[in-house]
Amino acid sequence: MANAPLKEIFSDVTLTVDTDTFKEPNRVKYILSEYDVAVAKTSHYEVQGSFEEMEDLFVKMSSLDRSAAPALRDSPLPHQRRPQSPTPVKPVEVVGAVWDFIQQRCSKELKRIEGEDISIHKPHDKMVVTFQSHRKDPVRAHFARERFVTFYQRLATDLQVKTYSLDPQYYKSLQRHFPELLIEGSPSKDEVTVTGRYMHMVILEDFLWRGYSSAVTSQRPLTPQRVSASGATRNKQSDKGEEESCPICLDTIKDQNKETLECKHSFCRSCLAQAFKTKPVCPTCGAVYGQLKGTQPKGGTMTVTKERSSLSGYENYGTIVIQYLIPSGTQKEEHPNPGQTYQGASRTAYLPDSSEGRNVLALLKRAFDQRLTFTVGRSSTTGVENVVTWNDIHHKTSKYGGTSCYGYPDPDYLSRVQDELKVKGIY
């Protein structure tokens, strides 16, 4: 048990809170009302719950102002104030293959997350990335971490790594033909390792097995004539002028069998139908068509209530309260460890009761119905496997504390979450 995660050792945790030590005790009491609370004294509370719940509560408490600091009496309004004692920005564990792919194929996305202030760095001897603000601004660093986790989870879910028995001398030609993939040769083993998004891997395998199955199955090297810098597809086009090739089967698309999507990418109708059976997205650009279905465990509930109190930054509106409940159960075939049990989750989220907030609520309801809000996997906060986790649709789980505590104020949140939902075809 010495190396076990803390959550496995401490299944139930008790946190003691003295409201008199905070500048706004009523706000503290309101936050505590969401938990299993026992009052030991007038201002002395004992809160009991799971390790993950108590860790979440501790983060929220750390963001609030302490009454022991007299200088705060004349402090700015809540929506103008940053946490005085922000929690450290936790590093994010990464898989080596995914991180290599991000660096070599997703550098632009990584730069957008960093902006001008944040550095995202992976120490050579550790499988984690860290977040540092050049301006020593922890709020910006927390925000960058949130965006990185969304990007990383979305990419890692779709990424595959496979090894093929091919002569490595031709891997550069393959790389030119498939620039979206990360292809690395291993001269000592006569094989190449390929990392890429699911649909690009499908196209590569179709390219290899349809056109070069004899060379692959016999583990003989691909001939330079077959895999050249120009590629088989371009040869067909040069022979027949402006004929267009299907990115999936690489054959010339016949006019009567051509299907062009709204994103302007064209395929053989039969090839596209087969691809859509796996995932209703464009095999070239990833645009969503139809309705995606996620791996959120069945049987959960999403309950919505409203409060008259307002959120920081939305003082003219009430508050929408979303209560999610996903019971524990047994993993199905679409989950990481079919047949094993998983631990359920109860989560509370908040939206402003404005027109935009109500629109986001409707989108979140669609995401929940399509089983996209949660999944089963590894908790990014505790490291525990086989638990219900968020599935890269970020929610505000606190009314206060700003972006560093997943709360308000955060003027860009509603637009960001709509972008995240749009990636999943919900808009």
Side-chain angles (χ1 to χ4, degrees):
M1 292 289 290
N3 296 323
L6 290 177
K7 187 175 180 180
E8 293 184 1
I9 300 173
F10 303 105
S11 56
D12 292 311
V13 178
T14 300
L15 187 67
T16 301
V17 180
D18 187 349
T19 59
D20 284 345
T21 64
F22 292 88
K23 182 180 177 182
E24 299 175 279
N26 289 334
R27 176 179 291 186
V28 177
K29 292 177 182 179
Y30 182 85
I31 294 176
L32 293 176
S33 67
E34 301 176 10
Y35 300 85
D36 184 11
V37 178
V39 182
K41 298 179 181 178
T42 304
S43 62
H44 195 76
Y45 290 79
E46 290 186 351
V47 191
Q48 187 172 11
S50 67
F51 182 93
E52 188 175 19
E53 289 173 333
M54 293 305 97
E55 183 181 45
D56 179 64
L57 175 60
F58 182 80
V59 170
K60 293 177 181 177
M61 293 294 101
S62 299
S63 71
L64 301 179
D65 292 326
R66 300 278 182 170
S67 59
L72 293 179
R73 295 300 180 185
D74 299 321
S75 61
L77 295 174
H79 69 279
Q80 300 172 321
R81 186 172 60 232
R82 289 178 178 171
Q84 299 300 309
S85 301
T87 56
V89 182
K90 295 181 180 179
V92 175
E93 289 192 27
V94 294
V95 176
V98 180
W99 177 249
D100 291 342
F101 187 85
I102 289 174
Q103 286 191 303
Q104 299 189 46
R105 291 292 177 269
C106 306
S107 57
K108 291 183 179 179
E109 290 90 338
L110 193 62
K111 287 295 183 184
R112 278 197 291 268
I113 295 173
E114 289 181 320
E116 297 180 355
D117 179 45
I118 304 298
S119 290
I120 300 177
H121 174 67
K122 177 186 172 297
H124 293 296
D125 58 339
K126 297 180 180 179
M127 296 308 297
V128 298
V129 294
T130 59
F131 306 83
Q132 183 177 6
S133 168
H134 304 309
R135 304 174 189 172
K136 307 300 182 184
D137 187 340
V139 174
R140 291 176 179 270
H142 275 285
F143 179 54
R145 182 186 188 278
E146 180 178 336
R147 294 184 64 191
F148 177 82
V149 169
T150 297
F151 165 67
Y152 180 86
Q153 289 180 339
R154 184 184 303 140
L155 178 64
T157 300
D158 197 41
L159 212 61
Q160 292 188 352
V161 180
K162 293 188 177 182
T163 300
Y164 300 93
S165 296
L166 304 173
D167 192 325
Q169 67 177 302
Y170 302 117
Y171 83 89
K172 290 184 179 180
S173 296
L174 285 176
Q175 187 69 82
R176 285 193 292 269
H177 197 80
F178 297 94
E180 309 89 353
L181 300 173
L182 180 59
I183 304 176
E184 300 172 296
S186 177
S188 61
K189 297 182 179 180
D190 285 343
E191 62 186 23
V192 294
T193 299
V194 183
T195 306
R197 289 183 168 93
Y198 170 78
M199 192 53 66
H200 294 145
M201 296 291 284
V202 170
I203 297 172
L204 172 69
E205 290 193 345
D206 192 82
F207 176 82
L208 293 175
W209 293 100
R210 280 176 179 265
Y212 313 103
S213 58
S214 61
V216 175
T217 54
S218 64
Q219 299 188 6
R220 292 196 304 271
L222 299 181
T223 62
Q225 293 87 345
R226 300 298 294 276
V227 183
S228 62
S230 60
T233 301
R234 189 171 298 178
N235 289 339
K236 288 185 179 181
Q237 291 177 333
S238 61
D239 291 340
K240 299 185 179 182
E242 297 300 322
E243 290 183 342
E244 189 174 4
S245 296
C246 172
I248 297 176
C249 69
L250 302 180
D251 287 334
T252 301
I253 303 176
K254 298 179 180 179
D255 290 340
Q256 65 272 22
N257 191 34
K258 183 176 181 178
E259 179 95 11
T260 301
L261 300 174
E262 293 181 10
C263 56
K264 308 304 181 184
H265 293 120
S266 300
F267 309 87
C268 296
R269 186 172 289 108
S270 56
C271 292
L272 186 63
Q274 189 65 32
F276 271 26
K277 288 180 181 179
T278 302
K279 194 175 184 180
V281 301
C282 172
T284 299
C285 69
V288 179
Y289 295 91
Q291 190 177 88
L292 287 178
K293 286 292 184 182
T295 58
Q296 175 179 299
K298 297 180 180 179
T301 58
M302 175 183 177
T303 305
V304 178
T305 57
K306 295 188 177 182
E307 298 177 350
R308 303 182 73 174
S309 60
S310 61
L311 300 167
S312 182
Y314 296 92
E315 284 76 10
N316 295 327
Y317 306 97
T319 300
I320 298 171
V321 182
I322 307 171
Q323 182 67 51
Y324 292 108
L325 176 62
I326 308 293
S328 300
T330 303
Q331 297 183 49
K332 307 300 183 185
E333 289 300 323
E334 67 265 29
H335 297 140
N337 300 298
Q340 294 187 26
T341 59
Y342 62 84
Q343 182 179 329
S346 176
R347 298 285 183 269
T348 303
Y350 304 94
L351 292 169
D353 194 11
S354 61
S355 57
E356 188 178 15
R358 290 189 290 272
N359 179 59
V360 169
L361 175 64
L363 298 177
L364 291 176
K365 181 64 168 62
R366 286 175 52 196
F368 186 82
D369 291 341
Q370 291 175 218
R371 302 171 58 202
L372 297 170
T373 307
F374 296 94
T375 188
V376 175
R378 183 178 183 275
S379 170
S380 61
T381 57
T382 64
V384 177
E385 303 283 355
N386 301 321
V387 296
V388 171
T389 65
W390 293 112
N391 191 26
D392 67 45
I393 300 175
H394 281 94
H395 288 64
K396 290 296 183 183
T397 55
S398 175
K399 292 184 175 182
Y400 315 104
T403 57
S404 63
C405 295
Y406 306 104
Y408 295 90
D410 185 351
D412 299 324
Y413 168 67
L414 294 180
S415 61
R416 288 203 316 275
V417 73
Q418 289 180 79
D419 288 341
E420 294 171 359
L421 289 161
K422 190 173 182 179
V423 170
K424 298 179 179 293
I426 297 178
Y427 50 90

